[in-house]
Amino acid sequence: SSPQESCASCGFRAPDQSERVNIDFLEAVKRHILNRLQMRDRPNITHPIPKAAMVTALRRLHAGKVREDGRVEIPSFDGQAAFNNEVQAETSEIISFAESDEHTSTKSGLYFLVSNEGNQNLYVSQANLWLYFRVLPAGPEKGLRRKVTVKIHYQEAGAASGAEGGPGGGGGGGGGTGRWALVEKRVDLKRSGWHTFPLSEAVRAVFGKGSRRQDLEVHCEGCETAGVAPVLVDPGDPSHRPFLVVRARQADGKHRIRKR
Amino acid sequence: GLECDGTSGGLCCRQQFYIDFRLIGWNDWIIAPAGYYGNYCEGSCPAYMAGVPGSASSFHTAVVNQYRMRGMSPGSVNSCCIPTKLSTMSMLYFDDEYNIVKRDVPNMIVEECGCA
């Protein structure tokens, strides 16, 4: 066949048939995927998230349907972009799973390491905490309506980062080293189940500080008498592990089309 | 656009190429999809291709092709085979800190090829 002319503007010249499975070609495609995900290297997964926690989070979110064969199907964001007539900068949804360490109170503390995907100017459009409340076996009889007040304390923007001390109650040394803000919600519990708490401001505050650690304190007024309890970080119960969903987009602002 | 399925006669076409993430050991951090269509464009763009409808990669190329067909080529630049239509890929993956990230990555899959 006639030799393939190189073209001034075609930087990439595909290998010919015999080299297709050439490892360089494969590496080029891998590099392309990592570039588009703004990653330098592929993540190093040493201790994977329990599958039960992952499946629960995905199922709760409709972010993906887990098929019988375990494969995941993902609906894309596009439908929503068309919905609000705005040209969306790249939107991503980040699910972080709760962790605990020696800085968090075992009774009421947990923290999240929220990813900003290596992007400093990520705009958080929405963030929700998902908490599972379990009706304790020894609680009042089934079907009784239980109204409790759940208080989520988080550190405000400008507060010293780190979880030393808590909002004047639990969490290590007691007394806070920074200002804590509060999200409060009345929850009506009939049975065990998931509940969400809006934490957009909290996550924006963490990103605003250039940090990614989101410390929370969870207090529930009335839970004991109602015989219910929020599940925090419990290795024995991975499928009810709290998780944080952050919907963010790259704040570039250039490509916005507004209705006039 | 044309598909490189042996019938394109060496003309600019789309070559399909699928990478299964399990085969390259990436299925531990990419939850979905199961693989990636790393399609690419290959083939020649001779002058007579300029008249083939749908082969121009952009309106600008269609206009230049009209000049070329009439022998009024603006300079001696060759035409080359590039993607003319790309689509978005929705991905679900773990990052370094075990967050699950769900993202639509635009212009990720080559759907069609044409001559620029």
Short mmCIF file of all heavy atoms in Angstrom, two decimals, chain A residues 4 7 9-10 14 20 25 29 36 38-39 42-43 46-47 54 71 74-77 90 92-96 113 115 117 212 250, chain B residues 17 19 22 25-26 28-29 31-32 34 36 40 43 78 80 90-104 106-108:
data_model
loop_
_atom_site.label_atom_id
_atom_site.label_comp_id
_atom_site.label_asym_id
_atom_site.label_seq_id
_atom_site.Cartn_x
_atom_site.Cartn_y
_atom_site.Cartn_z
N GLN A 4 2.05 5.88 4.16
CA GLN A 4 1.11 6.84 4.78
C GLN A 4 1.81 8.18 4.97
O GLN A 4 2.84 8.26 5.59
CB GLN A 4 0.69 6.33 6.17
CG GLN A 4 -0.42 7.17 6.75
CD GLN A 4 -1.46 6.27 7.42
OE1 GLN A 4 -1.08 5.17 7.83
NE2 GLN A 4 -2.68 6.71 7.45
N CYS A 7 0.88 13.97 8.45
CA CYS A 7 0.10 15.19 8.25
C CYS A 7 0.54 16.20 9.29
O CYS A 7 0.67 15.87 10.45
CB CYS A 7 -1.37 14.83 8.41
SG CYS A 7 -2.38 16.24 8.79
N SER A 9 -0.81 18.38 10.94
CA SER A 9 -1.57 18.65 12.17
C SER A 9 -1.97 17.37 12.87
O SER A 9 -2.61 17.39 13.88
CB SER A 9 -2.84 19.45 11.82
OG SER A 9 -3.62 18.65 10.95
N CYS A 10 -1.59 16.22 12.31
CA CYS A 10 -1.95 14.99 13.00
C CYS A 10 -0.79 14.60 13.88
O CYS A 10 0.15 13.97 13.42
CB CYS A 10 -2.23 13.87 12.00
SG CYS A 10 -3.70 14.17 11.09
N ALA A 14 -1.41 6.33 14.29
CA ALA A 14 -1.69 5.02 14.88
C ALA A 14 -0.71 3.99 14.34
O ALA A 14 -0.29 4.06 13.21
CB ALA A 14 -3.11 4.60 14.45
N ARG A 20 -0.55 -3.47 16.75
CA ARG A 20 -1.69 -2.88 17.50
C ARG A 20 -1.60 -3.17 18.98
O ARG A 20 -1.84 -2.35 19.84
CB ARG A 20 -3.00 -3.40 16.91
CG ARG A 20 -4.17 -2.90 17.66
CD ARG A 20 -5.36 -2.67 16.84
NE ARG A 20 -5.05 -1.80 15.70
CZ ARG A 20 -5.31 -2.15 14.45
NH1 ARG A 20 -5.83 -3.34 14.23
NH2 ARG A 20 -5.03 -1.36 13.48
N PHE A 25 1.30 1.32 22.84
CA PHE A 25 -0.02 1.83 22.48
C PHE A 25 -0.94 1.73 23.69
O PHE A 25 -1.64 2.66 24.05
CB PHE A 25 -0.55 1.00 21.32
CG PHE A 25 -1.87 1.49 20.79
CD1 PHE A 25 -1.95 2.66 20.07
CD2 PHE A 25 -3.04 0.78 21.03
CE1 PHE A 25 -3.16 3.11 19.58
CE2 PHE A 25 -4.25 1.23 20.56
CZ PHE A 25 -4.32 2.39 19.83
N VAL A 29 -2.92 4.72 25.91
CA VAL A 29 -4.35 4.81 26.23
C VAL A 29 -4.52 4.94 27.74
O VAL A 29 -5.30 5.75 28.24
CB VAL A 29 -5.09 3.55 25.70
CG1 VAL A 29 -6.53 3.56 26.18
CG2 VAL A 29 -5.05 3.52 24.19
N ARG A 36 -7.26 12.43 31.67
CA ARG A 36 -8.62 12.99 31.68
C ARG A 36 -9.22 12.97 33.08
O ARG A 36 -10.12 13.75 33.39
CB ARG A 36 -9.52 12.18 30.73
CG ARG A 36 -9.12 12.28 29.26
CD ARG A 36 -9.01 13.71 28.78
NE ARG A 36 -10.21 14.48 29.07
CZ ARG A 36 -11.27 14.55 28.31
NH1 ARG A 36 -11.29 13.84 27.19
NH2 ARG A 36 -12.29 15.31 28.60
N GLN A 38 -7.42 13.67 35.61
CA GLN A 38 -6.46 14.52 36.36
C GLN A 38 -5.72 13.72 37.42
O GLN A 38 -5.59 14.13 38.57
CB GLN A 38 -7.20 15.68 37.01
CG GLN A 38 -7.56 16.72 35.99
CD GLN A 38 -8.94 17.33 36.24
OE1 GLN A 38 -9.66 16.90 37.13
NE2 GLN A 38 -9.29 18.30 35.46
N MET A 39 -5.25 12.57 37.06
CA MET A 39 -4.46 11.74 37.96
C MET A 39 -3.07 11.57 37.39
O MET A 39 -2.92 11.44 36.18
CB MET A 39 -5.10 10.35 38.08
CG MET A 39 -6.37 10.28 38.88
SD MET A 39 -6.94 8.56 38.91
CE MET A 39 -8.25 8.70 40.10
N ARG A 42 -2.32 5.72 38.69
CA ARG A 42 -3.54 4.99 39.09
C ARG A 42 -3.51 4.88 40.61
O ARG A 42 -2.44 4.81 41.22
CB ARG A 42 -3.59 3.61 38.46
CG ARG A 42 -2.36 2.74 38.67
CD ARG A 42 -2.69 1.27 38.82
NE ARG A 42 -3.46 1.03 40.05
CZ ARG A 42 -4.18 -0.07 40.23
NH1 ARG A 42 -4.26 -0.99 39.27
NH2 ARG A 42 -4.82 -0.26 41.35
N PRO A 43 -4.66 4.97 41.30
CA PRO A 43 -4.69 4.85 42.75
C PRO A 43 -4.17 3.48 43.19
O PRO A 43 -4.30 2.49 42.48
CB PRO A 43 -6.18 4.98 43.08
CG PRO A 43 -6.81 5.59 41.90
CD PRO A 43 -6.00 5.16 40.73
N THR A 46 -4.92 -0.67 48.50
CA THR A 46 -4.34 -1.74 49.34
C THR A 46 -5.41 -2.39 50.20
O THR A 46 -5.42 -3.59 50.37
CB THR A 46 -3.26 -1.13 50.27
OG1 THR A 46 -3.84 -0.01 50.92
CG2 THR A 46 -2.06 -0.69 49.44
N HIS A 47 -6.31 -1.56 50.77
CA HIS A 47 -7.38 -2.25 51.53
C HIS A 47 -8.71 -1.72 51.01
O HIS A 47 -9.14 -0.65 51.37
CB HIS A 47 -7.23 -2.03 53.05
CG HIS A 47 -7.26 -0.56 53.44
ND1 HIS A 47 -6.19 0.28 53.22
CD2 HIS A 47 -8.21 0.20 53.99
CE1 HIS A 47 -6.50 1.50 53.66
NE2 HIS A 47 -7.71 1.48 54.14
N MET A 54 -19.96 -0.16 49.83
CA MET A 54 -19.99 0.46 48.49
C MET A 54 -21.35 0.23 47.84
O MET A 54 -21.97 1.16 47.33
CB MET A 54 -18.89 -0.15 47.62
CG MET A 54 -18.78 0.49 46.26
SD MET A 54 -17.57 -0.33 45.28
CE MET A 54 -18.53 -1.70 44.68
N ARG A 71 -22.02 -6.34 38.13
CA ARG A 71 -21.52 -5.19 37.38
C ARG A 71 -22.38 -3.98 37.72
O ARG A 71 -23.54 -4.10 38.08
CB ARG A 71 -21.57 -5.47 35.89
CG ARG A 71 -20.54 -6.52 35.54
CD ARG A 71 -20.25 -6.51 34.06
NE ARG A 71 -19.13 -7.35 33.72
CZ ARG A 71 -18.51 -7.25 32.57
NH1 ARG A 71 -18.93 -6.37 31.70
NH2 ARG A 71 -17.52 -8.02 32.27
N ILE A 74 -24.03 2.93 35.23
CA ILE A 74 -24.07 4.30 35.73
C ILE A 74 -24.97 5.16 34.88
O ILE A 74 -24.73 5.25 33.68
CB ILE A 74 -22.68 4.97 35.65
CG1 ILE A 74 -21.57 3.99 35.88
CG2 ILE A 74 -22.58 6.11 36.62
CD1 ILE A 74 -20.27 4.57 35.45
N PRO A 75 -25.95 5.86 35.46
CA PRO A 75 -26.61 6.89 34.68
C PRO A 75 -25.66 8.09 34.60
O PRO A 75 -24.92 8.34 35.53
CB PRO A 75 -27.85 7.22 35.49
CG PRO A 75 -27.51 6.83 36.89
CD PRO A 75 -26.47 5.78 36.82
N SER A 76 -25.70 8.82 33.47
CA SER A 76 -24.75 9.95 33.39
C SER A 76 -25.45 11.21 33.88
O SER A 76 -26.66 11.25 34.05
CB SER A 76 -24.32 10.15 31.94
OG SER A 76 -25.45 10.64 31.25
N PHE A 77 -24.63 12.27 34.07
CA PHE A 77 -25.22 13.53 34.53
C PHE A 77 -25.99 14.22 33.42
O PHE A 77 -26.73 15.11 33.64
CB PHE A 77 -24.10 14.49 34.97
CG PHE A 77 -23.47 14.08 36.25
CD1 PHE A 77 -22.15 13.73 36.31
CD2 PHE A 77 -24.21 14.01 37.40
CE1 PHE A 77 -21.55 13.36 37.49
CE2 PHE A 77 -23.64 13.62 38.60
CZ PHE A 77 -22.29 13.30 38.64
N GLU A 90 -17.53 20.29 34.06
CA GLU A 90 -17.54 18.89 34.42
C GLU A 90 -18.04 18.75 35.85
O GLU A 90 -17.48 19.34 36.77
CB GLU A 90 -16.14 18.31 34.31
CG GLU A 90 -15.81 17.94 32.88
CD GLU A 90 -14.57 17.06 32.82
OE1 GLU A 90 -14.40 16.22 33.71
OE2 GLU A 90 -13.78 17.27 31.90
N SER A 92 -18.89 16.30 39.10
CA SER A 92 -18.59 14.96 39.59
C SER A 92 -19.26 14.80 40.95
O SER A 92 -19.59 15.79 41.61
CB SER A 92 -17.10 14.73 39.70
OG SER A 92 -16.50 15.81 40.39
N GLU A 93 -19.48 13.58 41.31
CA GLU A 93 -20.09 13.25 42.60
C GLU A 93 -19.05 12.43 43.36
O GLU A 93 -18.48 11.49 42.79
CB GLU A 93 -21.34 12.42 42.35
CG GLU A 93 -22.40 12.62 43.37
CD GLU A 93 -23.75 12.17 42.83
OE1 GLU A 93 -23.81 11.22 42.05
OE2 GLU A 93 -24.75 12.81 43.18
N ILE A 94 -18.79 12.83 44.60
CA ILE A 94 -17.75 12.15 45.37
C ILE A 94 -18.38 11.53 46.60
O ILE A 94 -19.08 12.22 47.35
CB ILE A 94 -16.66 13.15 45.78
CG1 ILE A 94 -16.06 13.82 44.52
CG2 ILE A 94 -15.59 12.49 46.61
CD1 ILE A 94 -15.48 15.16 44.77
N ILE A 95 -18.19 10.26 46.78
CA ILE A 95 -18.74 9.57 47.96
C ILE A 95 -17.57 9.26 48.88
O ILE A 95 -16.64 8.54 48.49
CB ILE A 95 -19.42 8.25 47.55
CG1 ILE A 95 -20.53 8.51 46.53
CG2 ILE A 95 -19.95 7.54 48.76
CD1 ILE A 95 -21.11 7.24 45.94
N SER A 96 -17.59 9.83 50.08
CA SER A 96 -16.54 9.53 51.07
C SER A 96 -17.12 8.70 52.19
O SER A 96 -18.23 8.99 52.65
CB SER A 96 -15.98 10.84 51.65
OG SER A 96 -15.41 11.60 50.65
N LEU A 113 -12.33 12.07 54.77
CA LEU A 113 -11.27 12.69 53.97
C LEU A 113 -11.87 12.90 52.59
O LEU A 113 -11.91 11.99 51.77
CB LEU A 113 -10.05 11.76 53.88
CG LEU A 113 -8.98 11.93 54.96
CD1 LEU A 113 -7.80 11.03 54.65
CD2 LEU A 113 -8.51 13.36 55.01
N SER A 115 -12.31 13.99 48.92
CA SER A 115 -11.39 14.22 47.80
C SER A 115 -11.76 15.49 47.05
O SER A 115 -12.94 15.77 46.84
CB SER A 115 -11.52 13.03 46.81
OG SER A 115 -11.08 13.44 45.54
N GLU A 117 -10.22 15.81 44.18
CA GLU A 117 -9.73 15.34 42.88
C GLU A 117 -8.52 16.14 42.41
O GLU A 117 -8.38 16.42 41.21
CB GLU A 117 -10.82 15.43 41.83
CG GLU A 117 -12.05 14.58 42.15
CD GLU A 117 -13.03 14.71 41.04
OE1 GLU A 117 -12.84 14.00 40.03
OE2 GLU A 117 -13.89 15.58 41.15
N ARG A 212 -8.93 18.83 53.76
CA ARG A 212 -9.90 17.91 53.19
C ARG A 212 -10.49 17.01 54.28
O ARG A 212 -11.25 16.13 54.02
CB ARG A 212 -9.24 17.09 52.09
CG ARG A 212 -9.22 17.93 50.81
CD ARG A 212 -8.59 17.28 49.64
NE ARG A 212 -7.26 16.82 49.96
CZ ARG A 212 -6.90 15.53 49.86
NH1 ARG A 212 -7.80 14.64 49.53
NH2 ARG A 212 -5.68 15.17 50.12
N GLN A 250 -16.05 21.89 38.55
CA GLN A 250 -14.87 22.73 38.48
C GLN A 250 -15.34 24.15 38.25
O GLN A 250 -16.08 24.42 37.32
CB GLN A 250 -13.99 22.25 37.33
CG GLN A 250 -13.36 20.94 37.74
CD GLN A 250 -12.67 20.25 36.60
OE1 GLN A 250 -12.19 20.93 35.71
NE2 GLN A 250 -12.64 18.95 36.64
N PHE B 17 -11.30 -0.17 19.18
CA PHE B 17 -10.27 -0.81 20.00
C PHE B 17 -10.78 -0.81 21.44
O PHE B 17 -11.06 0.24 22.00
CB PHE B 17 -8.96 -0.01 19.92
CG PHE B 17 -7.83 -0.66 20.64
CD1 PHE B 17 -7.20 -1.76 20.11
CD2 PHE B 17 -7.43 -0.19 21.88
CE1 PHE B 17 -6.15 -2.36 20.78
CE2 PHE B 17 -6.38 -0.79 22.56
CZ PHE B 17 -5.75 -1.87 22.01
N ILE B 19 -10.49 -1.92 25.50
CA ILE B 19 -9.57 -2.40 26.55
C ILE B 19 -10.41 -2.84 27.73
O ILE B 19 -11.17 -2.04 28.29
CB ILE B 19 -8.64 -1.26 26.98
CG1 ILE B 19 -7.71 -0.88 25.83
CG2 ILE B 19 -7.83 -1.63 28.19
CD1 ILE B 19 -6.85 0.32 26.17
N ARG B 22 -10.17 -5.47 33.37
CA ARG B 22 -9.67 -6.63 34.11
C ARG B 22 -8.35 -7.10 33.52
O ARG B 22 -7.42 -7.46 34.24
CB ARG B 22 -10.67 -7.78 34.05
CG ARG B 22 -11.78 -7.72 35.12
CD ARG B 22 -12.85 -8.72 34.86
NE ARG B 22 -13.26 -8.70 33.46
CZ ARG B 22 -13.84 -9.74 32.86
NH1 ARG B 22 -14.03 -10.86 33.53
NH2 ARG B 22 -14.23 -9.68 31.61
N GLY B 25 -5.63 -5.05 34.81
CA GLY B 25 -5.54 -4.95 36.27
C GLY B 25 -6.04 -3.64 36.82
O GLY B 25 -5.66 -3.23 37.92
N TRP B 26 -6.96 -2.98 36.09
CA TRP B 26 -7.50 -1.71 36.59
C TRP B 26 -8.91 -1.87 37.17
O TRP B 26 -9.52 -0.89 37.59
CB TRP B 26 -7.56 -0.70 35.42
CG TRP B 26 -6.26 0.03 35.24
CD1 TRP B 26 -5.01 -0.38 35.65
CD2 TRP B 26 -6.06 1.31 34.59
NE1 TRP B 26 -4.06 0.55 35.29
CE2 TRP B 26 -4.68 1.58 34.64
CE3 TRP B 26 -6.91 2.20 33.97
CZ2 TRP B 26 -4.13 2.76 34.09
CZ3 TRP B 26 -6.36 3.37 33.42
CH2 TRP B 26 -4.99 3.63 33.48
N ASP B 28 -9.66 -3.05 39.90
CA ASP B 28 -9.72 -2.91 41.36
C ASP B 28 -10.07 -1.48 41.74
O ASP B 28 -10.69 -1.23 42.76
CB ASP B 28 -8.37 -3.30 42.01
CG ASP B 28 -7.21 -2.45 41.47
OD1 ASP B 28 -7.35 -1.87 40.38
OD2 ASP B 28 -6.17 -2.38 42.15
N TRP B 29 -9.69 -0.51 40.87
CA TRP B 29 -10.05 0.87 41.25
C TRP B 29 -11.12 1.47 40.34
O TRP B 29 -11.81 2.42 40.76
CB TRP B 29 -8.79 1.76 41.25
CG TRP B 29 -8.17 2.06 39.92
CD1 TRP B 29 -7.34 1.23 39.21
CD2 TRP B 29 -8.31 3.26 39.14
NE1 TRP B 29 -6.94 1.86 38.03
CE2 TRP B 29 -7.52 3.08 37.98
CE3 TRP B 29 -9.03 4.45 39.31
CZ2 TRP B 29 -7.42 4.07 36.98
CZ3 TRP B 29 -8.93 5.44 38.31
CH2 TRP B 29 -8.14 5.24 37.17
N ILE B 31 -14.68 1.04 39.16
CA ILE B 31 -15.87 0.22 39.46
C ILE B 31 -16.68 0.02 38.18
O ILE B 31 -17.17 -1.05 37.89
CB ILE B 31 -16.73 0.93 40.53
CG1 ILE B 31 -15.89 1.21 41.77
CG2 ILE B 31 -17.96 0.14 40.84
CD1 ILE B 31 -16.54 2.15 42.75
N ALA B 32 -16.86 1.10 37.43
CA ALA B 32 -17.61 1.01 36.16
C ALA B 32 -17.09 2.12 35.24
O ALA B 32 -16.66 3.16 35.75
CB ALA B 32 -19.10 1.19 36.44
N ALA B 34 -16.77 -1.46 32.61
CA ALA B 34 -15.87 -2.62 32.68
C ALA B 34 -14.67 -2.45 31.77
O ALA B 34 -13.65 -3.13 31.91
CB ALA B 34 -16.64 -3.88 32.26
N TYR B 36 -12.85 0.25 28.29
CA TYR B 36 -12.81 1.56 27.61
C TYR B 36 -12.65 1.33 26.09
O TYR B 36 -11.83 0.52 25.66
CB TYR B 36 -11.62 2.36 28.14
CG TYR B 36 -11.33 3.61 27.34
CD1 TYR B 36 -12.30 4.60 27.14
CD2 TYR B 36 -10.09 3.81 26.75
CE1 TYR B 36 -12.04 5.74 26.41
CE2 TYR B 36 -9.81 4.95 26.02
CZ TYR B 36 -10.80 5.91 25.85
OH TYR B 36 -10.55 7.02 25.12
N TYR B 40 -9.75 4.79 17.51
CA TYR B 40 -8.93 5.87 16.93
C TYR B 40 -9.13 5.91 15.42
O TYR B 40 -9.77 5.00 14.85
CB TYR B 40 -7.45 5.65 17.25
CG TYR B 40 -6.88 4.33 16.78
CD1 TYR B 40 -6.30 4.22 15.52
CD2 TYR B 40 -6.95 3.19 17.58
CE1 TYR B 40 -5.78 3.02 15.07
CE2 TYR B 40 -6.44 1.98 17.12
CZ TYR B 40 -5.85 1.90 15.88
OH TYR B 40 -5.35 0.70 15.42
N GLY B 43 -6.15 6.08 8.28
CA GLY B 43 -6.48 5.98 6.87
C GLY B 43 -6.08 7.26 6.16
O GLY B 43 -5.71 8.24 6.78
N ASN B 78 -1.66 18.69 3.53
CA ASN B 78 -2.46 17.50 3.32
C ASN B 78 -3.63 17.48 4.27
O ASN B 78 -3.58 18.08 5.33
CB ASN B 78 -1.59 16.27 3.61
CG ASN B 78 -0.52 16.15 2.54
OD1 ASN B 78 -0.79 16.45 1.40
ND2 ASN B 78 0.67 15.79 2.95
N CYS B 80 -5.97 15.35 6.88
CA CYS B 80 -5.66 14.18 7.70
C CYS B 80 -6.92 13.67 8.37
O CYS B 80 -7.92 14.37 8.49
CB CYS B 80 -4.61 14.55 8.76
SG CYS B 80 -5.17 15.83 9.86
N SER B 90 -19.22 7.92 31.24
CA SER B 90 -19.51 8.04 32.68
C SER B 90 -18.65 7.04 33.42
O SER B 90 -18.63 5.87 33.06
CB SER B 90 -20.99 7.75 32.95
OG SER B 90 -21.77 8.78 32.42
N MET B 91 -17.95 7.52 34.46
CA MET B 91 -17.05 6.61 35.17
C MET B 91 -17.33 6.66 36.66
O MET B 91 -17.75 7.69 37.20
CB MET B 91 -15.59 7.02 34.92
CG MET B 91 -15.15 6.81 33.48
SD MET B 91 -13.40 7.11 33.29
CE MET B 91 -12.73 5.66 34.11
N LEU B 92 -17.10 5.52 37.30
CA LEU B 92 -17.24 5.38 38.76
C LEU B 92 -15.95 4.72 39.22
O LEU B 92 -15.63 3.62 38.77
CB LEU B 92 -18.44 4.49 39.06
CG LEU B 92 -19.16 4.60 40.39
CD1 LEU B 92 -19.73 5.99 40.56
CD2 LEU B 92 -20.26 3.57 40.46
N TYR B 93 -15.21 5.41 40.09
CA TYR B 93 -13.88 4.86 40.41
C TYR B 93 -13.48 5.31 41.81
O TYR B 93 -14.02 6.26 42.37
CB TYR B 93 -12.84 5.32 39.39
CG TYR B 93 -12.73 6.81 39.22
CD1 TYR B 93 -11.81 7.54 39.97
CD2 TYR B 93 -13.54 7.51 38.34
CE1 TYR B 93 -11.70 8.91 39.84
CE2 TYR B 93 -13.44 8.89 38.20
CZ TYR B 93 -12.52 9.57 38.96
OH TYR B 93 -12.42 10.94 38.81
N PHE B 94 -12.52 4.58 42.38
CA PHE B 94 -11.95 4.93 43.68
C PHE B 94 -10.78 5.87 43.43
O PHE B 94 -10.02 5.69 42.49
CB PHE B 94 -11.41 3.69 44.41
CG PHE B 94 -12.46 2.82 45.01
CD1 PHE B 94 -12.78 1.59 44.45
CD2 PHE B 94 -13.16 3.23 46.14
CE1 PHE B 94 -13.76 0.78 45.01
CE2 PHE B 94 -14.13 2.41 46.71
CZ PHE B 94 -14.43 1.19 46.14
N ASP B 95 -10.63 6.87 44.33
CA ASP B 95 -9.42 7.67 44.23
C ASP B 95 -8.45 7.18 45.31
O ASP B 95 -8.68 6.15 45.96
CB ASP B 95 -9.72 9.16 44.36
CG ASP B 95 -10.13 9.49 45.80
OD1 ASP B 95 -10.11 8.60 46.66
OD2 ASP B 95 -10.45 10.65 46.05
N ASP B 96 -7.38 7.93 45.52
CA ASP B 96 -6.34 7.47 46.43
C ASP B 96 -6.81 7.28 47.85
O ASP B 96 -6.24 6.52 48.63
CB ASP B 96 -5.18 8.48 46.47
CG ASP B 96 -4.23 8.17 45.33
OD1 ASP B 96 -4.14 6.97 45.00
OD2 ASP B 96 -3.62 9.08 44.77
N GLU B 97 -7.86 8.05 48.22
CA GLU B 97 -8.30 7.96 49.61
C GLU B 97 -9.63 7.22 49.71
O GLU B 97 -10.44 7.49 50.58
CB GLU B 97 -8.46 9.37 50.19
CG GLU B 97 -7.17 9.90 50.71
CD GLU B 97 -6.88 11.27 50.10
OE1 GLU B 97 -7.75 11.79 49.41
OE2 GLU B 97 -5.79 11.77 50.34
N TYR B 98 -9.84 6.31 48.82
CA TYR B 98 -11.02 5.43 48.87
C TYR B 98 -12.33 6.20 48.80
O TYR B 98 -13.36 5.72 49.26
CB TYR B 98 -10.97 4.56 50.14
CG TYR B 98 -9.71 3.77 50.18
CD1 TYR B 98 -8.65 4.14 51.00
CD2 TYR B 98 -9.53 2.67 49.33
CE1 TYR B 98 -7.47 3.43 50.99
CE2 TYR B 98 -8.36 1.96 49.32
CZ TYR B 98 -7.33 2.35 50.15
OH TYR B 98 -6.16 1.66 50.13
N ASN B 99 -12.28 7.42 48.26
CA ASN B 99 -13.56 8.04 47.92
C ASN B 99 -14.02 7.40 46.63
O ASN B 99 -13.20 7.06 45.77
CB ASN B 99 -13.38 9.54 47.66
CG ASN B 99 -12.87 10.27 48.88
OD1 ASN B 99 -13.58 10.39 49.85
ND2 ASN B 99 -11.63 10.75 48.83
N ILE B 100 -15.33 7.29 46.48
CA ILE B 100 -15.88 6.83 45.19
C ILE B 100 -16.22 8.10 44.42
O ILE B 100 -16.93 8.96 44.94
CB ILE B 100 -17.14 5.97 45.39
CG1 ILE B 100 -16.81 4.67 46.10
CG2 ILE B 100 -17.80 5.69 44.06
CD1 ILE B 100 -18.02 3.78 46.32
N VAL B 101 -15.69 8.22 43.23
CA VAL B 101 -15.95 9.41 42.42
C VAL B 101 -16.78 8.99 41.22
O VAL B 101 -16.46 8.01 40.54
CB VAL B 101 -14.64 10.06 41.94
CG1 VAL B 101 -14.92 11.31 41.12
CG2 VAL B 101 -13.77 10.40 43.13
N LYS B 102 -17.88 9.70 41.00
CA LYS B 102 -18.71 9.44 39.81
C LYS B 102 -18.56 10.64 38.91
O LYS B 102 -18.79 11.77 39.35
CB LYS B 102 -20.15 9.27 40.22
CG LYS B 102 -21.06 9.03 39.03
CD LYS B 102 -22.50 8.98 39.47
CE LYS B 102 -23.40 9.30 38.32
NZ LYS B 102 -24.60 9.99 38.68
N ARG B 103 -18.18 10.42 37.67
CA ARG B 103 -17.84 11.56 36.82
C ARG B 103 -18.21 11.28 35.38
O ARG B 103 -18.02 10.18 34.88
CB ARG B 103 -16.34 11.77 36.94
CG ARG B 103 -15.84 13.05 36.39
CD ARG B 103 -14.44 13.25 36.89
NE ARG B 103 -13.85 14.43 36.32
CZ ARG B 103 -12.60 14.80 36.54
NH1 ARG B 103 -11.83 14.08 37.30
NH2 ARG B 103 -12.11 15.88 36.01
N ASP B 104 -18.70 12.31 34.69
CA ASP B 104 -18.92 12.22 33.24
C ASP B 104 -17.70 12.85 32.58
O ASP B 104 -17.47 14.04 32.75
CB ASP B 104 -20.16 13.02 32.85
CG ASP B 104 -21.42 12.20 33.10
OD1 ASP B 104 -21.29 11.02 33.43
OD2 ASP B 104 -22.52 12.76 32.97
N PRO B 106 -16.20 14.19 29.32
CA PRO B 106 -16.64 14.50 27.97
C PRO B 106 -15.58 14.15 26.93
O PRO B 106 -14.40 13.98 27.26
CB PRO B 106 -16.87 16.03 28.04
CG PRO B 106 -16.05 16.50 29.17
CD PRO B 106 -15.90 15.39 30.12
N ASN B 107 -16.01 14.01 25.67
CA ASN B 107 -15.10 13.80 24.52
C ASN B 107 -14.13 12.67 24.79
O ASN B 107 -12.92 12.79 24.57
CB ASN B 107 -14.32 15.07 24.22
CG ASN B 107 -15.26 16.23 23.93
OD1 ASN B 107 -16.32 16.01 23.34
ND2 ASN B 107 -14.90 17.41 24.37
N MET B 108 -14.65 11.57 25.31
CA MET B 108 -13.74 10.49 25.71
C MET B 108 -13.72 9.35 24.71
O MET B 108 -12.74 8.60 24.64
CB MET B 108 -14.20 10.00 27.07
CG MET B 108 -13.21 9.19 27.85
SD MET B 108 -11.67 10.01 28.12
CE MET B 108 -10.81 8.67 28.93
#
